[in-house]
Amino acid sequence: MDFYSIIEKARKTGKVDKGTNETTKAIELGVAKLVVYAKDVEPKEIIAHLSLLCKEKGIPCEEVDSKQKLGVAVGIPVSASAVAVIKAGDAEKEIAQLKPKK
């Protein structure tokens, strides 16, 4: 599944939060529908808590290969370590197919 295009679709037709802090808040508030974080974030501690939080809250959480591409997908000129989809918009069907990790 292409998570970059899901993020892009959600950004254009719904609502996304960008960055680790905003994403963490969205998870804790239970408003995130999907969380995507980049594998190439250094140091790893910056994003290490995201998958654990998502597991606790039952939110699908996926890793992608590039923070640069994640930034492009979310429509910013810099890289993004993590993104939370708040309102899925046209990406609703794709997100509904994802299952939270156990």
Side-chain angles (χ1 to χ4, degrees), residues 14-91:
K15 179 178 188 307
V16 295
D17 278 354
K18 321 168 238 333
T20 308
N21 290 344
E22 293 294 319
T23 300
T24 303
K25 278 186 225 157
I27 297 166
E28 288 172 343
L29 294 171
V31 296
K33 306 281 184 271
L34 166 67
V35 170
V36 179
Y37 62 91
K39 187 178 8 189
D40 60 349
V41 173
E42 289 295 329
K44 294 278 181 232
E45 290 77 31
I46 294 171
I47 51 158
H49 65 288
L50 294 177
S51 58
L52 296 170
L53 275 176
C54 286
K55 196 184 286 187
E56 274 175 30
K57 298 278 189 179
I59 298 167
C61 183
E62 298 293 335
E63 184 178 76
V64 293
D65 59 348
S66 164
K67 59 186 179 185
Q68 199 64 50
K69 284 198 259 182
L70 198 55
V72 169
V74 82
I76 56 175
V78 292
S79 57
S81 54
V83 175
V85 174
I86 309 301
K87 291 191 175 97
D90 291 347

